[in-house]
């Protein structure tokens, strides 16, 4: 029989009774109201068991009724692990219990509880660690019993967001002290961001007395009036160097979740206090709750968490909970006063609820609700992240920050105790101090930043902290009763587990944590850290101070991976011709950041046409660095292994670059356009890094050299016009450059006008091995020139070709590609270009290593290979081995089918003793078969003398 | 047609997609890539540097050109081709001075409106407040993971009241990233109702 | 995230920078022994305390500069200064 557990309307309740919301709980239709959390709606509908515990699958009900409630995880639609005591109810939500099978009420996994002794601390480690070969089988079985919701892999990627901010002051926590700090800081002229974990400001005032709630509203209004940026349902979840704070904003109009990276000049930690559960037998039975949980249910959402209560109270909050219960007509059968030495020994009950409580005086009291108010955990995470190591204060039974940090201040419960007025006053003083310090830091930043407004005044003096500290009220030390109970509710770790682990030798808090997994569940220590330490201290016969705690690390509250990713920034580059390529059937390929045409349908035909007629390819991604100044030859001599002092105006030279370890870094050509003006090309992927590299040589080793390096890669659209008819085509588009072979020969550069576009330059080089002109056209006219090339060359058979055809033609010519045919170990001599290493230069990058490398006769050699079977194209990276063995002699680095030779062709790196022309080598194919290939005399499979490109 | 022989070719921007109008004119984005961009490299203290008369991190209007001090030894002139050319022509190029036409190398956009700074906050980690990045400020930074040169160049004086403030930013990036960056700014400004407007003819007053 | 003091731009996020590494002189490639050269290439002192290191203001002014940082608390103690003769290792 389901009872309606909604109270009659209360003053200060946040639900809107005229706005009902339908939802389902494990398929059953229920109704709540706007303003309800999932938890309050469920409890109002008489739902008591809301989950099963992780390991033993014990029935659980709401215990802390807030974000940290370890029993509150639910599946909502396709959203797993929803914190149901925090998430607001929405109409149509399909809410289900998770970690249960086949159902919440009949959970077969609860059989785990019968074998509890086998699941004690360290059980997983000890049982499944050997033999290692069986781990995959263990893993599969354990995975079906793993907690957590269900991830739907078909859920589309949602829209998440990220934002940066530079507030003067970030206040973490919107309770009375936090709000007061935000108001005071804003009134001092600071730009303030106030971050509150809950959906509304107010902190513990929200579930307090009518007067408390009125004060919360008053302060909240003042916050908004002061121009504070208020972020609710948001958490400062990390603090890093120089007050770089991570704020997760869980509800935002345009995004599922938003991560704010805020550089706070000062951070005010007003995180309040988290109520600690008490450890005793039966402490995880449904109906055992903290005082805060009860007050939130009753005062905020007007629901009855039980009908007959026992209240175990050590403080004013417990007393207030008892008063609240009585006020709304819930019978308080007994107040057990911890301050008078009274104690709770064990909670008894059935699978649905607590039924009675056994007390230290021997009596047993019937109840369906046991409220505990035993003290507080200070959530000092942000202080830990700022380098503080909080220390334990015995008289008040909780931890306090112990360091004084210039740009991180605390206020509110985390800093001490007092009346609301005292907390608010401390908050105001803290906000004023935070603003004053932020002003100094802001002044320093402004003065140090070139683009900023020059500060008008001198730097203000550093404001000292003259706040009177808050009191620390005495509080009984209450962690565990005389019985054992659950310490970590998320991980199902009991005090008994902790004691036996300590007895086994895991008696340092860090070891204990990892061995038992206590504090490692979703609550992340918020509820269980202090009890864990206290139980360990008891087991060791030491004080809490001596045992110490684990360090709190980010994130304080979880962040979805979507929010960490934010909106997707994946920059892509395109040439000015790319839209044309797409409109003409090009298959796009992503090469680094560049989207390029791989081919236009038939790369083999593109090769044949280029070798027969003339082809055009968009090579814009080729790195281009404009070099100017009288000392350019010195720079070139430093960067390249070969010599550059005598490059004539109008000439182009190939060069190889090596890093200081002698490994091939990049290659390309550099042209001398005029006396002091050169154009360097790099590989597409090297464009950015070679620019930085050149700058590093100029700035650090040779600041006296007068050279200006300017990247112009995308300032020019680069087009290679290749093929025997390329000169015929170019003659139709160029009027001011003499294209005759005698005047403009191979490895030369000319500047002029192409297709009516002035300011172009072109050179004759030959990656394809054909007569070719590489045009560099101001990018805004790139498409124009491309179209003109195709229009003017129709009768010559001009066709575009893509990257694939170019790769085939370069392999036919045996040109290596840095990064494909070389790797991170390939030093220059391997490439066969030892003649480009000029040791008689005074210096160049990698000189020392290359001098030694030239004497190394064991380094691999780059060779051309042809498989014996001309139809066989071995995959790139196939190993080359000694016949009949698995002894590796090298590998295939490039391989393709050549339409020109009508056979497969390869490049590979092999050891020097098998590098001689004519050597038959064994190649291991991907499927394990072995094939043979022969080492060729020349790198070039086609036209080894290079006659075609010199015409 | 521009692809016929003898015809004067027309400059093409990197931004070629068509955009629907925005929901408000409080935040606008325009493609100014056709403006001439000229790089001048000159050491601080050189005669050329002195005549350009802007320090690193700031900018100055001269005729139809905005002169940006975007590197300690590098200036960018943004404006009409004639105006840039006349400034270059007057430069004392003694010493080591280089002049490079960057018109085709850089895409150039203008982001304007009360929410322009808030939009940049979503794609860039810099502080865009009036104190740290005032009108006239010049800075280089990564926007949506693309390196950009940015000049704050307000179209009308910014009042003290945020409501009437209308910061405007000129944003230059490698031309090949132009379409990507334009779309990234549109996406970032979506929550503020960003709209694409036609570029002004020349540098705006 | 660390704020790194660029000599031109002012303090900027470490993500705007490239960390080049510990600063030290580049040996003369003509006279260095293999041991000396490889020490230059691969050995980092990695002290707990003051460290002279080179940064490159990649997203900003594109300057290489040297600072001295206390690795125990990430405070920049000396600098920044422009780099001169401190190694082309990049």
């Amino acid at each position: 029989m389901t009872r309606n557990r909604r109270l009659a309307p209360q003053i200060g309740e946040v639900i809107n009774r005229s706005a009902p919301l339908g939802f389902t709980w494990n398929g059953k239709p229920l109704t709540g109201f706007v303003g309800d959390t999932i938890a309050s709606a469920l409890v109002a509908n008489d739902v008591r068991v809301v989950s099963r515990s992780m390991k033993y699958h014990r029935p659980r009900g709401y215990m802390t009724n807030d974000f940290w409630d370890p029993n509150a995880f639910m599946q909502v639609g396709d959203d797993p692990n929803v914190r149901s005591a925090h998430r607001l109810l929405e109409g149509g939500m399909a809410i289900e219990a998770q970690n249960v099978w086949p159902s919440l009420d009949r959970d077969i996994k609860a059989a785990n509880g019968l074998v509890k002794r086998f699941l004690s601390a360290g059980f997983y480690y000890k049982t499944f660690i050997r033999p290692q070969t069986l781990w995959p089988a263990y893993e599969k079985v354990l995975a079906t019993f793993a907690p957590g919701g269900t991830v739907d892999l078909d859920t589309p990627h949602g829209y998440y967001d990220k934002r940066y901010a530079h507030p003067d002051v970030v206040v973490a926590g919107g309770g009375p002290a936090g709000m007061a700090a935000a108001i005071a800081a804003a009134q001092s002229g600071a730009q303030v961001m106030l971050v509150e974990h809950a959906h509304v400001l107010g902190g513990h005032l929200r579930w307090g007395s009518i007067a408390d709630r009125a004060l919360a509203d008053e302060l909240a209004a003042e916050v908004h009036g002061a121009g504070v940026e208020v972020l609710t349902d948001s958490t400062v979840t990390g603090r890093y160097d120089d007050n770089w704070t991570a704020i997760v904003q869980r509800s935002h109009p345009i995004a599922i979740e938003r991560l704010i990276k805020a550089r706070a000049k000062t951070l005010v930690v007003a995180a309040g206090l988290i109520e600690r559960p008490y450890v005793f037998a039966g402490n995880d039975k449904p109906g055992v709750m903290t005082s805060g949980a009860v007050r939130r249910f009753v005062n905020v959402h007007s629901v009855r968490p039980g009908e007959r209560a026992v209240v175990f109270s050590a403080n004013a909050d417990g007393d207030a909970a008892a008063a609240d219960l009585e006020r709304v007509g819930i019978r308080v059968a007994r107040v057990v006063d911890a301050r008078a030495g009274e104690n709770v020994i064990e909670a008894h009950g059935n699978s649905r609820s607590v039924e009675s409580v056994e007390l230290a005086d021997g009596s047993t009291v019937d109840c369906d609700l046991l409220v505990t108010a035993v003290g507080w955990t200070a959530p000092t995470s942000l202080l830990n992240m700022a380098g503080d190591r909080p220390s334990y204060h015995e008289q008040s039974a909780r931890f306090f920050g112990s360091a004084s940090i210039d740009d991180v201040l605390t206020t509110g419960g985390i800093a001490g105790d007092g009346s609301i007025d005292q907390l608010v006053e401390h908050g105001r003083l803290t906000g004023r101090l935070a603003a004053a310090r932020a002003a100094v830091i802001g002044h320093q930043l402004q003065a140090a930043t070139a683009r900023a407004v020059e500060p008008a005044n001198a730097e203000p003096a550093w404001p000292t902290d003259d706040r009177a500290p808050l009191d620390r009220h005495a509080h009984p030390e209450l962690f565990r009763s005389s019985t054992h109970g659950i310490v970590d509710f998320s991980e199902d770790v009991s005090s008994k587990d902790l004691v036996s682990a300590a007895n086994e030798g895991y008696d340092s808090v860090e070891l204990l944590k990892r061995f038992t997994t206590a504090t490692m569940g979703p609550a992340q220590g918020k509820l269980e850290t202090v009890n864990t330490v206290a139980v360990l201290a008891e087991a060791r016969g030491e004080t809490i101070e001596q045992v110490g705690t684990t360090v709190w690390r980010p994130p304080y509250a979880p962040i979805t991976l979507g929010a960490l990713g934010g909106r997707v920034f994946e920059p892509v580059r395109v040439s000015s011709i790319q839209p044309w390529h797409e409109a003409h059937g090009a298959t796009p390929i992503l090469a680094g950041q560049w989207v390029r045409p791989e081919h236009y349908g038939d790369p083999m035909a593109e090769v044949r046409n280029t070798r027969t007629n003339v082809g055009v390819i968009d090579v814009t991604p080729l790195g281009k660095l404009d070099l100017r100044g009288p000392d350019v030859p010195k720079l070139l001599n430093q960067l390249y292994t070969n010599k550059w002092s005598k490059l004539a105006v109008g000439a182009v030279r190939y060069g190889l670059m090596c890093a200081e370890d002698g490994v091939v870094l990049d290659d390309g050509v550099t042209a001398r356009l005029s006396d002091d003006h050169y154009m360097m090309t790099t590989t597409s992927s090297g464009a950015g890094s070679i620019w930085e590299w050149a700058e590093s040589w100029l700035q650090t080793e040779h600041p006296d050299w007068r050279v200006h390096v300017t990247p112009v890669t995308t300032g020019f659209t680069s087009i290679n016009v290749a093929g025997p008819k390329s000169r015929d085509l170019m003659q139709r588009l160029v009027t001011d450059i003499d294209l005759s072979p005698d005047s403009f020969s191979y490895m030369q550069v000319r500047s002029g006008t192409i297709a009516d576009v002035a300011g172009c330059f072109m050179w004759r080089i030959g990656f394809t091995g054909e007569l070719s002109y590489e045009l560099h056209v101001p990018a805004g006219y790139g498409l124009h020139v491309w179209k003109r090339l195709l229009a003017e060359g129709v009768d010559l058979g001009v066709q575009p070709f893509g990257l694939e055809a170019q790769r085939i033609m370069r392999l036919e010519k045996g040109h290596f590609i840095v990064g494909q045919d070389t790797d991170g170990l390939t030093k220059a001599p391997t490439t066969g270009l030892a003649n480009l290493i000029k040791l008689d230069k005074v210096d160049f990058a990698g000189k020392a290593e290359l001098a030694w490398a030239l004497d190394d006769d064991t380094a691999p050699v780059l060779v051309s290979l042809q498989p014996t079977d001309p139809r066989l194209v071995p995959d790139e990276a196939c190993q080359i081995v000694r016949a009949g063995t698995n002894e590796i002699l090298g590998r295939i680095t490039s391989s393709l089918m050549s339409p020109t030779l009508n056979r497969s062709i390869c490049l590979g790196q092999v050891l020097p003793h098998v590098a001689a022309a004519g050597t038959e080598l064994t190649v291991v194919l991907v499927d394990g078969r072995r094939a043979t290939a022969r080492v060729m005399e020349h790198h070039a499979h086609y036209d080894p003398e290079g006659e075609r490109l010199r015409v | 047609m521009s692809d016929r022989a003898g015809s004067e070719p027309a400059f093409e921007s990197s931004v070629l997609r068509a955009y629907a109008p925005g929901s408000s004119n409080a935040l606008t984005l325009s493609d100014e890539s056709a403006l001439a961009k000229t790089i001048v490299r000159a050491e601080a203290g050189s005669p050329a540097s002195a005549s350009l008369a802007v320090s690193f991190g700031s900018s100055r209007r001269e005729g139809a050109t905005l002169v940006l001090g975007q590197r300690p030894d590098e200036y960018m002139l943004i404006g009409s081709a004639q105006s840039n050319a006349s400034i270059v022509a007057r430069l004392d190029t003694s010493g080591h001075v280089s002049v490079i036409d960057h018109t085709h190398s850089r895409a150039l956009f203008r982001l304007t409106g009360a929410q322009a700074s808030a939009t940049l906050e979503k794609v860039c980690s810099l502080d865009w407040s009036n104190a740290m990045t005032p009108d006239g400020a010049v800075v280089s930074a990564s926007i949506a993971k693309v390196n950009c040169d940015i000049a704050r160049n307000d179209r009308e004086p910014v009042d003290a009241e945020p409501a009437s403030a209308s910061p405007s930013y000129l944003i230059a990036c490698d031309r090949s990233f132009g379409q990507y960056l334009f779309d990234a700014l549109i996406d970032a400004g979506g929550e503020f109702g960003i709209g694409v407007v036609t570029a002004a003819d020349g540098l705006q007053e | 995230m660390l704020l790194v003091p660029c000599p031109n731009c002012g303090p900027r996020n470490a993500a705007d920078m490239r960390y080049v590494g510990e600063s030290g002189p580049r040996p003369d490639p003509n006279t260095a022994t293999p041991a000396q050269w490889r020490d230059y290439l691969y050995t980092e002192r990695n002290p707990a305390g003051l460290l002279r290191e080179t940064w490159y203001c990649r997203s900003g002014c594109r300057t290489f500069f040297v600072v001295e940082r206390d690795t125990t608390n990430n405070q920049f103690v000396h600098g920044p200064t422009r780099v001169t003769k401190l190694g082309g290792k990049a």
Side-chain angles (χ1 to χ4, degrees), chain A residues 230-350:
Chain A
V230 178
L231 307 172
T232 51
D233 193 13
S234 302
T235 308
V236 180
T237 199
R239 186 271 179 197
Y240 306 85
D241 282 310
D242 296 316
N243 267 350
W244 181 252
T245 56
I247 300 168
V248 58
Q249 208 174 353
R250 283 177 295 269
S251 43
H252 190 274
I254 69 142
I256 299 167
E257 207 168 87
R258 180 189 255 189
L259 178 64
I260 302 174
K261 298 180 175 185
R263 177 75 73 184
K265 293 178 188 72
T266 50
L267 171 65
V268 174
V269 181
L273 294 171
I274 293 174
E275 194 170 14
R276 234 167 28 220
Y278 191 46
V279 180
F280 58 94
N283 67 342
D284 67 333
K285 290 206 177 299
V288 179
M289 291 184 202
T290 60
S291 71
V294 166
R295 299 189 78 198
R296 285 185 281 275
F297 275 134
V298 171
N299 295 349
V300 180
H301 291 113
S302 298
V303 295
R304 307 164 72 89
E307 300 304 322
R308 184 183 158 93
V310 168
V311 179
F312 179 48
S313 176
N315 53 42
D317 286 67
D319 304 342
D324 286 337
L325 289 169
E326 285 189 324
R327 179 173 50 79
V328 299
I330 296 169
R331 170 142 186 239
V332 177
R334 175 86 181 264
V335 173
V336 183
D337 194 340
R339 290 154 295 193
E342 297 180 323
N343 208 344
V344 169
I345 303 298
E346 182 165 4
H348 300 283
N350 58 27

Side-chain angles (χ1 to χ4, degrees), chain A residues 556-627:
Chain A
Y556 176 74
I559 313 177
T560 60
L561 291 176
L564 286 176
R567 278 171 301 126
V568 180
F569 294 139
E570 283 170 0
V572 289
R573 291 180 182 261
V574 292
S575 90
S576 47
I577 312 174
Q578 185 60 27
W580 186 96
H581 298 318
E582 283 166 22
H584 289 78
T587 300
I589 184 174
L590 195 64
Q593 290 182 315
W594 287 90
V595 182
R596 307 186 62 175
E598 186 172 23
H599 58 76
Y600 301 83
D602 185 353
M604 296 297 183
E606 291 166 21
V607 171
R608 283 190 291 267
N609 185 62
T610 304
R611 294 252 182 254
T612 314
N613 296 312
V614 55
V616 289
I617 179 172
D618 178 1
V619 292
T620 300
L622 190 75
K624 293 173 278 285
L625 294 175
D626 179 292
L627 308 176

